[in-house]
Amino acid sequence: MVNKSLHNPVYFEEIVHRISLLSENAPQRWGKMSVSQMLRHCDFVLQVALGKIELSKINILFEAIGVITKIEMQIFNNGIPRNMPTFQKLIVNFECDFDESKTNLLNTLRDFRTASENKDLPDRHRLFGKMTEKDWGFLEYKHLDHHLKQFNV
């Protein structure tokens, strides 16, 4: 099975297309976020890769779990578990404008692609530890895929 990545133009465009299929009143299959909140959350997560949002330090035990999770996801091509805890800065529990959130996510996604092409992504993540360009492309794809499935696209 192929590990999909945002570095691959086919899978990048697949994600862009799936985002375009979302509607403002799309029902979620799990979780508490509305579709607008999910779009904002995904935008925030991509901004971490761009160095625009800095996550707080975590306990070394949690980082070890994160590193193991990253490796397991790459080996077994697993998805992200439902209702998984997240960093406080990435939680969106406020009202968001659907069109604005969607536009911002698509713009940040393109910025991520540019940063990736320029080899300008960070070499560490607070949870996942040491990161390569390949790691970023894979994990960001998995995150977006997880939330798009949450809203049936």
Side-chain angles (χ1 to χ4, degrees), residues 122-139:
D123 61 359
R124 291 202 62 74
H125 185 279
R126 291 281 193 212
L127 178 62
F128 299 120
K130 186 176 183 303
M131 295 284 285
T132 64
E133 299 286 324
K134 184 178 176 183
D135 293 335
W136 281 111
F138 172 74
L139 291 171

Side-chain angles (χ1 to χ4, degrees), residues 101-116:
S101 297
K102 189 175 184 178
T103 298
N104 288 346
L105 173 58
L106 290 169
N107 287 337
T108 303
L109 195 53
R110 287 183 180 86
D111 290 347
F112 173 86
R113 182 117 175 115
T114 300
S116 175

Side-chain angles (χ1 to χ4, degrees), residues 3-9 11-12 133-134 136-138 141:
N3 284 353
K4 295 182 178 182
S5 170
L6 290 180
H7 299 320
N8 183 315
Y11 301 127
F12 180 87
E133 299 286 324
K134 184 178 176 183
W136 281 111
F138 172 74
Y141 176 91

Side-chain angles (χ1 to χ4, degrees), residues 4 22 27 34 43 48 54 60-61 64 71 76 86 88 93 103 105 109 115-116 120 123 128 138 148 153:
K4 295 182 178 182
L22 289 166
S34 69
D43 183 27
V48 171
E54 186 173 336
I60 191 147
L61 175 64
I71 293 166
F76 298 107
T86 192
Q88 189 66 38
N93 54 8
T103 298
L105 173 58
L109 195 53
S116 175
D120 198 23
D123 61 359
F128 299 120
F138 172 74
L148 291 169
V153 294

Side-chain angles (χ1 to χ4, degrees), residues 34-141:
S34 69
V35 67
S36 300
Q37 291 169 323
M38 177 275 290
L39 290 166
R40 180 70 59 93
H41 165 74
C42 289
D43 183 27
F44 286 172
V45 170
L46 281 167
Q47 287 185 44
V48 171
L50 296 173
K52 294 180 180 180
I53 293 178
E54 186 173 336
L55 300 175
S56 55
K57 292 183 179 181
I58 60 171
N59 177 308
I60 191 147
L61 175 64
F62 289 123
E63 186 174 338
I65 292 168
V67 170
I68 291 166
T69 300
K70 175 183 76 173
I71 293 166
E72 181 213 356
M73 284 176 63
Q74 290 170 330
I75 291 171
F76 298 107
N77 203 14
N78 293 354
I80 296 171
R82 294 179 182 182
N83 301 311
M84 193 172 148
T86 192
F87 286 87
Q88 189 66 38
K89 282 187 177 180
L90 305 177
I91 293 173
V92 178
N93 54 8
F94 50 88
E95 289 301 313
C96 302
D97 179 81
F98 175 76
D99 292 323
E100 179 184 352
S101 297
K102 189 175 184 178
T103 298
N104 288 346
L105 173 58
L106 290 169
N107 287 337
T108 303
L109 195 53
R110 287 183 180 86
D111 290 347
F112 173 86
R113 182 117 175 115
T114 300
S116 175
E117 288 169 351
N118 293 335
K119 308 277 190 246
D120 198 23
L121 296 173
D123 61 359
R124 291 202 62 74
H125 185 279
R126 291 281 193 212
L127 178 62
F128 299 120
K130 186 176 183 303
M131 295 284 285
T132 64
E133 299 286 324
K134 184 178 176 183
D135 293 335
W136 281 111
F138 172 74
L139 291 171
E140 294 293 356
Y141 176 91

